[in-house]
Amino acid sequence: MTYPHPAIAGLTGIGMASQSYLLGITKENEDYWKLFATGKYTAEDYKNEGENFKYLSSFYQALLSDVPGLLDETDGNIRVPKWAVKAVAEAFQRYAHRTDIEHDLEATLEESFGIQSESKKETIKKLQQRNKKRFLDRVNMVRMVFGLNVNDAVAVTWKIVQWQKNNKPGFYYNFRASQKSMLDAYHRAYPLPTFMEWVQEWSQLLGYAKTDFESFKAKYLKWIEERVPEAATFIKRKIRLRNPKTDTETTCGG
């Protein structure tokens, strides 16, 4: 039986929740407990997060997307961290107080949940910054996983982003930068020491042994190949040129 993660507040022993009259029969699975692996989704992080609503929203969306079938319509209950329940309850309480007690006609759920209001100009600027970060992070990932140089990693990322723009509208907001401008932006943002710091952080986060990394590498290449075949072909060719004796079909899951 899986032990509850400490992040699930209020559970102090195995089986206590499943025997509880209030909770009834619980139906969590391994995917559910993985949400709390390595201290993810904790009360401390929620309090320290600059944008609490996004953190809260991310948690509840994870229940839908990362744990298939958890929130279906069958009987049963699930355990939810106390901080997540408390955050939602307090937001509705604030909204009810302002509307029912104070009769504040300007009250909004956005304010009750602590969603910061911003001008359209500020929102556009933030979305453009997000575009840039997503692009640069992708370049870093391609460099780290496949060992490509900066120019080649940017070229691969550019192909992937074009596919995302065409197939995932909204993922990149009004992305109009050129490949050359993004290459220049990458050089400014990630000189070699900064890139190595990024690699170190991701290596610790992933925690992969060499065999796990090779598996991740193969899966990542397959993900690219299914969406942007020419990008995958480009990667394989670059790896063959760098390691002529390497069987890329085996190493990279080609």
Side-chain angles (χ1 to χ4, degrees):
M1 184 172 182
T2 304
Y3 284 75
H5 191 277
I8 309 298
L11 300 184
T12 56
I14 304 173
M16 291 183 67
S18 61
Q19 297 169 8
S20 166
Y21 171 77
L22 292 177
L23 288 175
I25 297 176
T26 59
K27 58 174 186 177
E28 298 92 346
N29 54 26
E30 287 298 323
D31 288 329
Y32 175 83
W33 296 113
K34 285 179 183 178
L35 293 181
F36 309 99
T38 64
K40 188 176 182 182
Y41 293 122
T42 66
E44 182 179 4
D45 283 348
Y46 173 72
K47 292 177 182 177
N48 295 334
E49 180 69 22
E51 298 182 63
N52 287 356
F53 178 77
K54 285 191 175 181
Y55 191 85
L56 181 67
S57 175
S58 174
F59 169 72
Y60 280 104
Q61 289 182 69
L63 292 182
L64 282 172
S65 60
D66 297 352
V67 193
L70 183 69
L71 299 183
D72 58 27
E73 297 178 358
T74 59
D75 291 338
N77 302 289
I78 63 169
R79 286 164 279 196
V80 178
K82 186 162 52 175
W83 68 264
V85 177
K86 187 171 182 285
V88 173
E90 288 180 343
F92 281 119
Q93 184 183 54
R94 285 191 290 270
Y95 181 75
H97 183 83
R98 289 186 63 183
T99 55
D100 298 341
I101 306 301
E102 299 178 355
H103 304 294
D104 184 352
L105 300 181
E106 301 298 323
T108 65
L109 280 173
E110 284 83 358
E111 290 178 336
S112 299
F113 274 94
I115 302 174
Q116 300 295 321
S117 62
E118 57 187 18
S119 67
K120 182 177 180 181
K121 184 177 181 180
E122 290 172 331
T123 301
I124 290 175
K125 182 179 179 180
K126 183 180 295 185
L127 290 173
Q128 290 173 339
Q129 291 173 339
R130 185 193 67 179
N131 286 348
K132 181 179 178 181
K133 185 178 187 307
R134 283 181 170 174
F135 189 99
L136 299 186
D137 280 345
R138 176 76 71 182
V139 176
N140 281 338
M141 184 64 73
V142 170
R143 284 186 72 187
M144 179 182 74
V145 174
F146 303 114
L148 302 186
N149 63 39
V150 172
N151 288 348
D152 290 342
V154 169
V156 168
T157 300
W158 185 259
K159 295 176 186 294
I160 294 173
V161 169
Q162 298 311 303
W163 179 89
Q164 289 174 320
K165 284 175 61 179
N166 293 328
N167 294 275
K168 289 188 174 184
F171 190 78
Y172 282 90
Y173 172 79
N174 200 26
F175 187 80
R176 295 180 179 178
S178 67
Q179 182 174 340
K180 175 64 166 57
S181 67
M182 294 309 298
L183 175 61
D184 292 341
Y186 184 84
H187 278 300
R188 290 192 298 271
Y190 285 99
L192 184 59
T194 307
F195 170 66
M196 296 308 298
E197 290 176 4
W198 188 95
V199 170
Q200 181 68 19
E201 291 176 2
W202 268 89
S203 298
Q204 292 176 353
L205 181 63
L206 295 174
Y208 285 138
K210 180 174 175 54
T211 54
D212 295 326
F213 181 79
E214 289 301 318
S215 175
F216 176 78
K217 180 178 179 180
K219 289 178 182 178
Y220 190 39
L221 183 61
K222 182 179 180 181
W223 181 91
I224 295 173
E225 192 165 31
E226 289 174 347
R227 292 157 180 79
V228 196
E230 63 272 22
T233 300
F234 181 87
I235 291 170
K236 291 178 182 179
R237 180 165 60 84
K238 290 296 180 178
I239 293 176
R240 278 198 302 270
L241 290 173
R242 187 178 69 241
N243 303 308
K245 294 182 180 182
T246 298
D247 181 1
T248 55
E249 298 299 313
T250 299
T251 303
C252 295

